[in-house]
Amino acid sequence: MEIREILSRHGFAFKKKFGQNFLTDPNLLDAIVSDAGVDEHTTVLEIGAGAGALTRALAKRAKRVVAFEIDESLRPVLHETLSEFQNVELLFSDFEKCDFPALEKKLGPYVVVANLPYYITTPVVMKFVEESTQCRGITVMVQEEVALRFAAQAGTPDYGAVTAAIALRGRCELVRKVPRTLFYPRPNVDSAVVRVTFGEGNVAVSDARAYRAAVRAAFSSRRKTLENNLIAAFRISREEAKAILADANVPEGVRGETLSPADFARLVEAISAHSL
Ligand code: SAM
């Protein structure tokens, strides 16, 4: 199936504002489906069906695919590219505006597989990380620089609040790099596929909200020490901040970006023990 030919036959005009860079390489599409571990028992949620290239590769192996697409003008294209599949449901609407709890109820346990529009990558991934109850994993194509941030180790320049927040739900790995030449039209940057496996290798905390608050506080000013960021965020005295760090077994004078997710988990327990 030649996606470019179908798009031009339908007179489709690419819209930059929707991050429309489509995949066409069948080997890459199959590899992404394998990366996500999709099989005949899997329900898949795709965000941004585009011309349906990834949707087709998913539909061949999954039990069910529910795909969002914001651009109504892709309707006739998708009607053609997905005509042979009975297990695909297309929702022509903005994923960011969906009723998320209702969507999860309809899906049951599911995985996310998508070539994400670059302009909503982080909010979309954070939505699953922070709000989902049914999501079992996320395998998404994102800009390489974002992939490095998601999967970064503590203490490296790419490590940040998003990395630490993802670690709360599961293990995040960069599974493959994808050169810009494999997209149509060709973007200005390279991409990579990242996978978050929910419930595997995640840090255990009793209070996820407190963890997020501690992470936000630690990264609120990268130039400040963790101690100073805690003082500012929780409006506590220097003595209290020092006591919390000591309880958490975190050395004084460190910066937030050097704390691993497990360190943050200990910090949260120390903060709640001081009932802040
Ligand atoms: N899955 C296709 C592929 O891999 O070739 C298309 C990927 S393209 C990078 C992203 C797609 O997401 C575009 O088709 C775009 O119109 C759609 N999109 C952008 N913002 C969206 C949103 N908020 N909700 C649903 N779809 C969106």
Side-chain angles (χ1 to χ4, degrees), residues 166-186:
I166 292 174
L168 193 57
R169 293 304 293 269
R171 185 160 37 91
C172 183
E173 305 150 282
L174 191 160
V175 285
R176 69 179 65 246
K177 291 190 178 181
V178 180
R180 65 193 80 180
T181 50
L182 293 183
F183 294 85
Y184 178 70
R186 186 185 294 193

Side-chain angles (χ1 to χ4, degrees), residues 18-23 46-51 53-54 68-71 74 93-96 115-117 119-120:
F18 289 146
Q20 291 176 338
N21 299 98
F22 295 171
L23 292 171
E46 184 189 8
I47 295 134
L54 181 58
F68 277 80
E69 176 48 61
I70 199 169
D71 186 355
L74 283 163
S93 60
D94 180 346
F95 170 74
E96 289 203 293
N115 171 17
L116 284 178
Y119 71 106
I120 51 169

